[in-house]
C-alpha cells in the first residue's frame, strides 16, 4: 500500500523556468510533510517542510503548497537552475504516533536544462 | 558541525552471511532512523531508535535488527543475508521530537552475491 505517491518519475524544464513537482497521499493522519532532494552517491538533503495547519511555506526559491482536502502537495522551484537537477522525494509523517518515521514517495528525477 | 556519518560506504557480502552497519548522528541528535532504498521499493523505513530504545519499527523481517548506544551512535545488523537485501542503507538523525527534520548520511551500499 503506497501511502505517498509521486506519479511523475521524471520532469524536464528549462533553466529560469518554474519546476513543479507533485505528490499525493492517502493517509489522512499525515500531518507533517517534507521535501528532500538526492544527488547520486549522496544521502537525501532536506529542502523544505510544511505542517498540516498551513497551506503554504516558502524558503527562497522553494515553495511547498499543501491541499489537505485533495491530499496533495506540490513543490515549486522558481527560477530553476541546472544545479537543481536531482531526484526529489516527498515524505510524510504522523507526528503523534509514528515518532520520526517518514513515509516516502518514489521520487521524481528533475532535469534542468541550460 | 559534522553531519551524519555512515560506515562503511560500500560492502560486499555473500548469501547467508551477516553484516553490521554503523551510523554516527549529528552531535546532540538523539533520534536515529534507518531506511532501505532499492530501485523497486524506494525508500522504506526500517526502525527508529531514541535514547537507546526502539521507538518505531517498519515491516521488515526479524533478520533486520538494530541498537543504539548511550552516545546515540547506532548500528544495524542483517543476519542470514539474501540477494534481495542488496540496497542502499541510509541512516538519519534528528533532535528529538517527531517534527524535527531528519538529516541523512551518505549511506552504505550493500551488495549481496
Amino acid at each position: 500500500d503506497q501511502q505517498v505517491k509521486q506519479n511523475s518519475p521524471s520532469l524536464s524544464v528549462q533553466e529560469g523556468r518554474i519546476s513543479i513537482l507533485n505528490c499525493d497521499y492517502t493517509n489522512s493522519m499525515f500531518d507533517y510533510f517534507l521535501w528532500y532532494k538526492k544527488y547520486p552517491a549522496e544521502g537525501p538533503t532536506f529542502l523544505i517542510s510544511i505542517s498540516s495547519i498551513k497551506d503554504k511555506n516558502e524558503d527562497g526559491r522553494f515553495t511547498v503548497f499543501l491541499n489537505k482536502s485533495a491530499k496533495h502537495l506540490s513543490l515549486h522551484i522558481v527560477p530553476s537552475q541546472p544545479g537543481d537537477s536531482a531526484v526529489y522525494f516527498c515524505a510524510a509523517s504522523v507526528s503523534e504516533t509514528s515518532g520520526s518515521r517518514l513515509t516516502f514517495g518514489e521520487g521524481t528525477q528533475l532535469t534542468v536544462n541550460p | 558541525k559534522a553531519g551524519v556519518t555512515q560506515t562503511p560506504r560500500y560492502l560486499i557480502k555473500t548469501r547467508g552471511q551477516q553484516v553490521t552497519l554503523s551510523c554516527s548522528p549529528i552531535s546532540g541528535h538523539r533520534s536515529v532512523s534507518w531506511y532501505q532504498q532499492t530501485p523497486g521499493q524506494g525508500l522504506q523505513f526500517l526502525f527508529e531508535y531514541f535514547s537507546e530504545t526502539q521507538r518505531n519499527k517498519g515491516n521488515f523481517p526479524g533478520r533486520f535488527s538494530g541498537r543504539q548506544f548511550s552516545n546515540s551512535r547506532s548500528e544495524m545488523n542483517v543476519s542470514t543475508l539474501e540477494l534481495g537485501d542488496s540496497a542502499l542503507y541510509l541512516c538519519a538523525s534528528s533532535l528529538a521530537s517527531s517534527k524535527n527534520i531528519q538529516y541523512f548520511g551518505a549511506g552504505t551500499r550493500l551488495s549481496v552475491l
Side-chain angles (χ1 to χ4, degrees):
Chain A
D1 175 28
Q2 191 69 28
Q3 297 186 59
V4 178
K5 285 190 177 182
Q6 295 175 253
N7 291 317
S8 298
S10 62
L11 175 68
S12 183
V13 300
Q14 287 299 120
E15 181 178 5
R17 307 295 287 268
I18 184 171
S19 295
I20 300 176
L21 298 104
N22 294 302
C23 180
D24 297 295
Y25 62 96
T26 57
N27 187 344
S28 57
M29 298 295 290
F30 286 143
D31 61 357
Y32 191 59
F33 303 88
L34 308 91
W35 283 93
Y36 285 84
K37 77 174 178 183
K38 187 179 184 301
Y39 295 115
E42 294 183 14
T45 302
F46 170 75
L47 273 176
I48 192 168
S49 63
I50 188 168
S51 168
S52 60
I53 62 173
K54 295 185 174 181
D55 54 19
K56 176 183 174 181
N57 189 25
E58 196 171 352
D59 184 1
R61 296 187 298 116
F62 302 92
T63 303
V64 56
F65 295 92
L66 175 62
N67 183 334
K68 288 188 294 294
S69 60
K71 294 191 179 67
H72 177 84
L73 64 156
S74 61
L75 174 68
H76 292 208
I77 306 174
V78 184
S80 301
Q81 300 172 353
D84 296 330
S85 297
V87 178
Y88 288 77
F89 292 95
C90 68
S93 70
V94 181
S95 53
E96 287 302 316
T97 59
S98 65
S100 293
R101 175 178 186 160
L102 294 178
T103 300
F104 282 86
E106 307 92 326
T108 297
Q109 172 71 58
L110 173 65
T111 303
V112 180
N113 301 302
Chain B
K1 204 175 199 181
V4 178
T5 304
Q6 291 188 246
T7 56
R9 289 294 310 276
Y10 303 93
L11 209 46
I12 300 175
K13 293 285 187 179
T14 56
R15 279 182 300 172
Q17 287 187 309
Q18 74 161 14
V19 67
T20 299
L21 312 181
S22 180
C23 173
S24 293
I26 292 171
S27 177
H29 285 195
R30 296 167 63 192
S31 169
V32 174
S33 298
W34 289 88
Y35 294 83
Q36 180 196 64
Q37 185 182 21
T38 58
Q41 298 295 320
L43 270 154
Q44 298 210 300
F45 174 80
L46 280 155
F47 30 65
E48 181 209 357
Y49 286 86
F50 178 79
S51 292
E52 302 177 65
T53 301
Q54 188 178 87
R55 185 159 72 170
N56 223 320
K57 190 177 189 308
N59 297 323
F60 279 81
R63 299 185 298 106
F64 292 82
S65 63
R67 60 178 175 168
Q68 186 180 34
F69 302 94
S70 58
N71 62 358
S72 293
R73 190 177 71 85
S74 177
E75 289 181 347
M76 69 163 278
N77 184 77
V78 188
S79 62
T80 320
L81 284 166
E82 300 177 359
L83 295 179
D85 297 333
S86 295
L88 179 66
Y89 290 88
L90 291 159
C91 166
S93 75
S94 62
L95 275 170
S97 76
S98 58
K99 287 190 175 175
N100 284 116
I101 298 156
Q102 291 188 43
Y103 296 89
F104 283 82
T108 295
R109 171 72 63 183
L110 171 65
S111 298
V112 182
L113 306 178

